[in-house]
Amino acid sequence: MKENTSMEAFLDDYGKIVVYLSQRFYNGKSDRFYLERTQGEVTACQIRELESHESYTRYTLTGPADIRMGEAVEIVEEHGHRAVLQFRRIVQTSRFDEDFAYTGELGAFCEETQTRFVLWAPTANEVQLDLRLGEKQVLLAMTRGDKGVWRTEAAGDWDGGTYLYQVKVNGEIHCSPDPYALSSTANGRRSGLVNWKRMTEMPQSALPPFARYTDAVIYEVSVRDFTHQKECGTTTHSQYRSLCETGTALAGKPTGLDYLTSLGVTHVQLLPVADFATVDEEHPELFYNWGYDPLQYGCPEGSYTSDPNDPRCRVRELKQLIATLHAHGLRVNLDVVFNHHYDIQFSAFDQCVPHYYFRTTPSGFLSNGSFCGNDTDSIKRMVRKYIVDIVCRWIEVYDVDGFRFDLMGVHDVDTMNCVVKEGRRLKPELMVYGEGWDLPTALNDDLKACQRNNAKMPEVAHFNDYFRDVVKGKTSEFDVQAKGYATGNLYQAHDMMSALCANTLNKEMYKIYQQPTQSINYIECHDNATGWDKMKDCCKDEVRELRVKRQKLMIAVTLVAQGVPFLQSGQEFCRTKYGHHNTYNAPDNINQIDWERKNRHEEVVEFTRDCVRLRRLIRAFRFASAAEIEEHVHFEVTEGQMLLYQLNDVQAYGGYQTIKVFFNPSNAVQYVELEEDYQLIFNEAGLLTTPVMVRNLAVNPITMVVLVK
């Protein structure tokens, strides 16, 4: 109960009213309660239960069953005190979800001669549209229709205009942006109107064929970080347009977009570009944030645009960035954060339909599986519809190629399957993957979109933390000393077998996934310390040159393993964040890409390019099924815990019958006598321009060697 409030009343179910009466008011005692409608009709309510607390008494009443959603009614008690009846936990009921599930269009639809506005707000009893463009301003009453959907139309051309909804609900007027807004003014003050079909058509490019997840090499990029450093040489910095600039270099070596396209990766995964809360879009230099603090889910972030107060600008410039990446042969995946809102108080969800969009525990408290104070409730029909609608709009408006779902385990299985199904109607090759952690959200474990339920989501991939921990060592700041196989724990050679098979086989291995297309193999991402920084702890007794070799080995393992390889930007030049584990709001000098460092580690960069070329050359590293892995992949642990990863009878996958990959993470040379001659095509120097025939092989310390026949 709110402080300094004598009485509050809530509709918590059909026919169930809960009243809180302050102990300051007649000691919290009342024997009679009535429901009074605006037209004067009064109905007695029956007291079903009461509970006395230190500061209030809680009454549970049976009220009339014919209260209409959005109807303005009051509860009056015997002493004449009254309170607006607020629609609260009733919106959490399955009946409400069924009664008000709406399948049509929502949002603002801006055309040359008119703009249509459609808002779902079933508990509101009045909605008005505040619409502005330049000096022109109108206030339009919206009309309620079926399923609690409010509509109005504004004649004329409102492209570039702004609007808010004035939603009267639970006795208060909320000035709310549109949950479905395509754009906005700076810092989400007002929703923005954009006739996106009027924008200049972006050039179409013939992207290389993409049929299966295992053909992807994903490279994670922050729009802000990638071009922030002045040494990048771009004319602008940390903006969508900065990442579109070509011809930039440092000491004759490419930077920015030219560097990105030189790596050979197939997919760029952008850290969140949907509107986030804690960076001032008009003064982005004041604060830093990765963007996992969502404010508006369908609107591009304004701090990355050249004019955050022009609604059309942020849409146009993000479209241009994605089109530019496409023109350079790169697909674009977006990192999306639907699992929570930065602050419910500022959420358009709670302004328009209070208490509906966020998951609660059985006792009525907000669920907090995201550890951000709230969880969106994807199992609700209009929340699921919202997520699917916004995903489809990112595809339709921006031509996005895939989505990485932050804290995907907060969502439910059916929602993720719907994302795949509906998204692929628009883009058949769409990638969908995410963090399938088993999070403590208030949802039945069997329904969570987490790794252990991966069999229920066959087209959804998961970040493979087993792979990360076995190859590199556990990644949290409490496990800095823990080594993985590539960082020197030789006893994990057998665990590496499971990792290299994308955890898809049972036979003497640890199985997690059904198919290799479900395993996103990574060593590092934006979260936690970089691999290089971790080695400063777990390999602190080794000289720098050895740690560089281990960095190369970790990259090589990632790119020859079965599954889907993922690289963090800068991993290929030993990126450091100076030991910081969580840099989500650290300054730019910690998060930015260091182009001078890139030039210093050009050897590792070129080695990474060669690893990507090797993966493309040998299709047997990219099996799409567990059956192929089981048939063709074999292992042997040799002297000194060196691991042989062998692919047999793979001539149908690219010209070689047998492929032998040796991993030697030890500090000693390991010698191998082969049964016949093989071609040596890859070693610590990368791809060999002229293969060497060998039968007796010396595998140098901390290296990967690839032989073919």
Side-chain angles (χ1 to χ4, degrees), residues 279-292:
V279 172
D280 184 339
E281 294 181 345
E282 293 172 308
H283 304 283
E285 72 283 357
L286 298 179
F287 304 103
Y288 181 96
N289 205 283
W290 283 337
Y292 297 95

Side-chain angles (χ1 to χ4, degrees), residues 245-278:
E245 295 185 37
T246 58
T248 61
L250 174 64
K253 298 184 184 300
T255 61
L257 176 61
D258 287 352
Y259 170 73
L260 180 57
T261 58
S262 77
L263 289 172
V265 300
T266 65
H267 289 66
V268 174
Q269 177 188 300
L270 296 177
L271 261 68
V273 295
D275 186 46
F276 46 90
T278 56

Side-chain angles (χ1 to χ4, degrees), residues 69-71 87 91 96 100 102 106 118-128 142-151 165-169 174 176 179-180 348-354 356-357 382:
M69 286 302 142
E71 183 181 5
F87 298 93
V91 303
F96 178 91
F100 292 96
Y102 170 71
L106 291 168
V118 189
L119 175 70
W120 185 72
T123 57
N125 64 288
E126 183 181 319
V127 181
Q128 294 194 92
M142 300 185 73
T143 303
R144 183 187 178 105
D146 290 343
K147 305 294 184 179
V149 175
W150 299 77
R151 290 181 170 84
Y165 292 123
Q166 295 181 2
V167 183
K168 188 174 183 181
V169 59
H174 300 162
S176 175
Y180 274 80
F349 286 161
D350 230 42
Q351 298 294 317
C352 294
V353 192
Y356 176 78
Y357 285 90
M382 294 303 290

Side-chain angles (χ1 to χ4, degrees), residues 97-261:
D97 219 25
E98 182 68 29
D99 287 350
F100 292 96
Y102 170 71
T103 58
E105 63 180 15
L106 291 168
F109 303 90
C110 185
E111 300 169 356
E112 292 184 10
T113 59
Q114 68 169 11
T115 299
R116 293 176 292 111
F117 298 86
V118 189
L119 175 70
W120 185 72
T123 57
N125 64 288
E126 183 181 319
V127 181
Q128 294 194 92
L129 171 71
D130 171 6
L131 179 61
R132 303 176 189 180
L133 178 60
E135 299 300 316
K136 185 167 56 172
Q137 179 176 353
V138 295
L139 192 64
L140 298 175
M142 300 185 73
T143 303
R144 183 187 178 105
D146 290 343
K147 305 294 184 179
V149 175
W150 299 77
R151 290 181 170 84
T152 193
E153 293 181 359
D157 188 349
W158 290 90
D159 190 15
T162 68
Y163 66 106
L164 289 173
Y165 292 123
Q166 295 181 2
V167 183
K168 188 174 183 181
V169 59
N170 292 342
E172 298 178 342
I173 295 177
H174 300 162
C175 292
S176 175
D178 185 354
Y180 274 80
L182 179 64
S183 192
S184 79
T185 59
N187 300 319
R189 295 188 191 100
R190 294 178 63 84
S191 296
L193 292 171
V194 179
N195 184 348
W196 62 268
K197 294 180 181 178
R198 175 186 278 170
M199 290 185 170
T200 303
E201 191 68 26
M202 297 300 173
Q204 296 296 308
S205 62
L207 285 163
F210 179 69
R212 52 195 184 168
Y213 284 16
T214 50
D215 288 335
V217 178
I218 303 170
Y219 187 78
E220 183 184 48
V221 170
S222 159
V223 169
R224 179 162 178 165
D225 297 349
F226 210 70
T227 61
H228 182 270
Q229 193 184 53
K230 64 178 174 45
E231 285 78 9
C232 183
T234 49
T235 57
T236 63
H237 297 279
S238 296
Q239 296 183 0
Y240 300 125
R241 57 183 178 161
S242 311
L243 200 44
C244 296
E245 295 185 37
T246 58
T248 61
L250 174 64
K253 298 184 184 300
T255 61
L257 176 61
D258 287 352
Y259 170 73
L260 180 57
T261 58

